[in-house]
Amino acid sequence: MLKRWRQQQGMPKTGLVSPSGGSDKRMSGTAIQKPWAAVRKLAGLPDDLVLYSLRHNFASQGPQQARDHAAKTPEQRQLAAVPASH
C-alpha cells in the first residue's frame, strides 16, 4: 500500500507520509489539531477524544480481531461477510 501511495505522490525523496505543506520537513506536532477538531465536530465525537486514544485503541484491538478472524473456519468467515438482510 505504501509503495502505491509513494508512486501516486510522484516518488517523493523523503519517507515522510505526511510532510508539512509542500516541504520535505516533518509536520509540527500541532498541525493536525484544527483538522481533527473539524472531524470530531462533523462526526459528533466528544471534544476530549484525542487521536492518540484512537491509535492506542486500534493497536490494542487490531491484533485481537486478527486472532479471532484466524480462529474461525472458512465457513464461519464466509457467513460473517454476508450482510444481514433487513
Side-chain angles (χ1 to χ4, degrees):
M1 179 171 67
L2 287 177
K3 287 180 183 179
R4 188 173 343 138
W5 171 85
R6 191 165 180 262
Q7 290 170 345
Q8 291 171 345
Q9 299 302 312
M11 303 298 282
K13 293 180 175 137
T14 69
L16 301 175
V17 174
S18 299
S20 181
S23 74
D24 288 339
K25 296 180 182 175
R26 292 178 186 255
M27 292 178 70
S28 73
T30 59
I32 196 70
Q33 288 178 355
K34 285 184 182 179
W36 176 237
V39 167
R40 279 195 323 259
K41 184 176 180 179
L42 285 170
L45 298 172
D47 289 341
D48 61 348
L49 180 64
V50 294
L51 279 173
Y52 182 80
S53 299
L54 295 178
R55 178 180 138 317
H56 178 73
N57 188 19
F58 177 79
S60 298
Q61 289 188 8
Q64 180 60 48
Q65 289 178 358
R67 282 190 298 273
D68 292 348
H69 181 75
K72 292 180 181 177
T73 66
E75 293 81 15
Q76 290 170 323
R77 286 195 293 268
Q78 187 175 11
L79 286 173
V82 175
S85 59
H86 296 273

